[in-house]
Amino acid sequence: MKPEAAAKILQRTLKDPTKPMTVADASVASGLSQRDTEAGLTWLTSEYRGHLRVTEDGDLVHLFPFGFEKPWEVRERFARILSAAGRGLLGAGRFVVRAWLLIVMVGYALVFLALILAATFARQSDDRESPGLAILGGLLRMIGDALFWTFHPFSPLYVGRRYGYTDTDDSAWRRAHARRMRAGDPTQVPFYEKVNRFVFGPTPKPVDPQAARALILAEIRAKKGRVGLADVMRVTGLPREKADPLMAKLMLDHEGTVDVSESGGIVYRFEALRRTAASEEATPPPPPAWDSPAVLPPLTGNSGGANVGIIFLNGFNLLASAWIMHHGLTLSNIALLFSKHPPPVLPDSGTPVVLGLVPFIFSLALFVLPAARAGLRMRAAKQVAEENARLGILREVLARAPKGEPVSDETLRTVYRVATGHEPSSKEITKRVVDLGGDVDTGPEGQVRYRFADLEAEAEALEDERARALESEARLGKVVFASDQ
């Protein structure tokens, strides 16, 4: 019987899944064989975030604290909706920033160019300097930026060729460009991406949903197909409540089994994952999670010169639009200014919107958004520090508990203090210890320390299991047929 089919029968027949139950209890209640019951309970543990307990006699007990319900789905669905909405708004914001820069630098430059040409060909007199020359410097700057946007390879208006590539191998250029981008070549970052980084921060790298599974599978093979929750937590950094259901899922997907030693240690066995076509089983264990601590992302990810250039460019637009509003240079007044007989005093025709209010508000927003992100960095830095403190505590516990050594309270406090920069509360330390299944143990001099009986029993059981693991599990049989010979 398939595990899913057995699970459906168990869901229908088990009256109160929140109470602890053995495989025999579930088998009697459902009428299933013990083998099908065990497979069904494993499937349910993965699906409904169940937990495993071990008695002092080595009996395995299943527990489903949420029953056969998924109350976390509402929270996680809401979080996914918020995340998707945030990504959508962020993407829309980035698109607006790109489009706005393109409009400002190209559209405004062309408008100013038309105005200056009109003023040049309509000279009022030879003894008066053209008013258009006063803004010629700014125009030239805008034209240069406009040309950059027009001929930059990533611009929507790009019509040029990539040096060294013809129009027919455009995809080859893009692949080469992508390789340079992945290699971290700062000269390959387009200007609009630098502006996006300045306003919204660097784009985070996408999270691989299979990364944790791949690490666990590599650890399984490196440890002779026998692992415990400590191994899973070591390579993934996952907390215990997430590592347990994940292992239940892996047992279903990779023909795994769970054994309980006489001392109560839980061992997950995956003999089929050891089979390899290589000459020997030589998979190195993955590095521990604390070797790659959480890092606070940079505010912009740009070089100092790029940030200064963006600040100067946006500051120019901000000051220019403010100057236009201050002098009341609406479109009608600009037309009067460049007329044959401009008035000595421009009339009050309202607030300049096209060349004043709109670019002023947007340019101001380009400064406000990164300033707001900088203000929120304290909270993000606190979250990063707390995560590194959690990984540091996990490192100390996994270094001592498998050897049967207690972990002192002062050691955990020191780890927390080094990671966060402040003294932890007793509540914080207690939470971390409880999450790892620890208990308080008093030392010979009355000092507070912690023991982790589950991890100690698990390490002892794993040592025995790996010592008994047969090397033949990893070897293939003799090849009797090959299509390439």
Side-chain angles (χ1 to χ4, degrees):
M1 181 180 293
K2 293 184 177 180
E4 294 89 341
K8 289 182 180 180
I9 296 175
L10 290 171
Q11 283 181 279
R12 187 175 63 251
T13 56
L14 295 177
K15 302 302 182 183
D16 189 1
T18 61
K19 294 182 178 180
M21 71 185 80
T22 64
V23 173
D25 292 332
S27 180
V28 171
S30 63
L32 294 172
S33 67
Q34 290 212 5
R35 181 179 61 183
D36 291 337
T37 302
E38 186 175 1
L41 287 174
T42 301
W43 191 93
L44 291 171
T45 299
S46 170
E47 188 72 11
Y48 294 98
R49 298 186 179 179
H51 293 282
L52 299 177
R53 294 177 178 175
V54 180
T55 68
E56 60 182 4
D57 297 326
D59 295 317
L60 194 62
V61 180
H62 292 262
L63 175 67
F64 299 90
F66 304 104
F68 297 138
E69 302 291 338
K70 299 180 179 180
W72 61 86
E73 281 192 340
V74 176
R75 297 191 300 269
E76 292 181 352
R77 187 180 299 113
F78 183 68
R80 287 196 298 269
I81 292 173
L82 287 180
S83 178
R87 290 194 301 270
L89 290 174
L90 191 62
R94 285 176 171 161
F95 175 79
V96 170
V97 169
R98 296 178 186 181
W100 177 259
L101 287 176
L102 188 64
I103 292 171
V104 169
M105 295 181 182
V106 177
Y108 280 10
L110 294 177
V111 170
F112 289 148
L113 177 61
L115 292 175
I116 289 183
L117 290 177
T120 302
F121 287 107
R123 293 295 81 211
Q124 297 94 331
S125 63
D126 295 334
D127 58 349
R128 191 157 67 95
E129 184 181 359
S130 168
L133 295 178
I135 58 173
L136 181 59
L139 171 67
L140 294 177
R141 181 195 63 83
M142 289 187 177
I143 292 176
D145 291 332
L147 292 175
F148 174 84
W149 275 95
T150 304
F151 296 103
H152 190 278
F154 279 88
S155 170
L157 304 179
Y158 176 67
V159 294
R161 290 189 178 186
R162 283 80 171 175
Y163 179 76
Y165 295 88
T166 64
D167 291 339
T168 59
D169 57 9
D170 178 79
S171 60
W173 181 90
R174 293 185 182 276
R175 288 195 298 270
H177 176 82
R179 286 194 298 270
R180 291 192 294 269
M181 289 284 288
R182 288 194 297 269
D185 186 355
T187 63
Q188 299 300 319
V189 178
F191 177 71
Y192 65 75
E193 180 60 28
K194 293 179 181 179
V195 176
N196 282 337
R197 291 179 179 181
F198 179 83
V199 179
F200 299 104
T203 304
K205 294 182 179 180
V207 178
D208 184 3
Q210 300 298 321
R213 291 172 61 98
L215 288 171
I216 296 172
L217 295 179
E219 179 75 356
I220 290 172
R221 175 167 281 192
K223 296 299 178 65
K224 298 185 176 181
R226 280 79 171 166
V227 295
L229 287 183
D231 299 307
V232 177
M233 292 187 291
R234 184 187 73 85
V235 298
T236 63
L238 291 173
R240 191 185 187 100
E241 65 269 15
K242 292 185 179 180
D244 207 344
L246 180 55
M247 288 306 297
K249 178 66 174 175
L250 288 176
M251 283 197 297
L252 287 174
D253 294 341
H254 298 282
E255 302 178 1
T257 59
V258 59
D259 292 335
V260 182
S261 67
E262 294 182 357
S263 60
I266 298 178
V267 177
Y268 297 92
R269 297 172 52 133
F270 296 87
E271 298 176 7
L273 287 178
R274 295 189 64 191
R275 197 65 57 88
T276 176
S279 57
E280 58 181 8
E281 188 183 24
T283 302
W290 47 81
D291 280 0
S292 301
V295 178
L296 183 67
L299 183 62
T300 66
N302 293 331
S303 64
N307 287 333
V308 170
I310 294 171
I311 291 173
F312 176 80
L313 180 61
N314 193 57
F316 174 84
N317 290 335
L318 184 68
L319 295 176
S321 57
W323 186 86
I324 286 175
M325 288 193 295
H326 177 72
H327 289 84
L329 295 181
T330 60
L331 295 180
S332 59
N333 281 343
I334 291 177
L336 290 175
L337 185 65
F338 287 94
S339 64
K340 188 173 182 179
H341 300 288
V345 179
L346 295 175
D348 184 5
S349 58
T351 302
V353 176
V354 177
L355 299 179
L357 186 61
V358 173
F360 179 82
I361 292 177
F362 197 88
S363 299
L364 186 63
L366 292 188
F367 283 139
V368 171
L369 288 176
R373 289 194 303 104
L376 295 175
R377 279 176 70 80
M378 291 183 62
R379 186 176 66 176
K382 180 180 178 182
Q383 294 174 345
V384 168
E386 290 178 349
E387 173 62 14
N388 287 332
R390 187 186 70 84
L391 291 176
I393 291 174
L394 180 64
R395 179 192 65 217
E396 296 299 325
V397 170
L398 295 186
R400 291 171 170 80
K403 302 175 184 177
E405 301 175 1
V407 185
S408 68
D409 181 75
E410 182 56 34
T411 297
L412 299 186
R413 287 182 174 275
T414 300
V415 170
Y416 193 97
R417 186 167 55 250
V418 170
T420 63
H422 62 84
E423 191 70 26
S425 64
S426 298
K427 182 179 178 180
E428 181 63 34
I429 296 297
T430 301
K431 181 181 183 301
R432 299 303 180 192
V433 171
V434 171
D435 289 345
L436 293 172
D439 293 315
V440 178
D441 178 60
T442 304
E445 299 180 1
Q447 69 272 28
V448 178
R449 59 186 189 179
Y450 306 98
R451 297 294 296 265
F452 299 84
D454 291 346
L455 296 178
E456 293 176 13
E458 177 186 287
E460 182 182 352
L462 284 170
E463 185 178 359
D464 293 340
E465 284 286 336
R466 289 166 184 162
R468 292 197 299 265
L470 301 176
E471 294 301 324
S472 59
E473 293 175 356
R475 293 197 296 266
L476 294 176
K478 182 180 179 181
V479 176
V480 296
F481 171 77
S483 62
D484 59 338
Q485 294 179 357

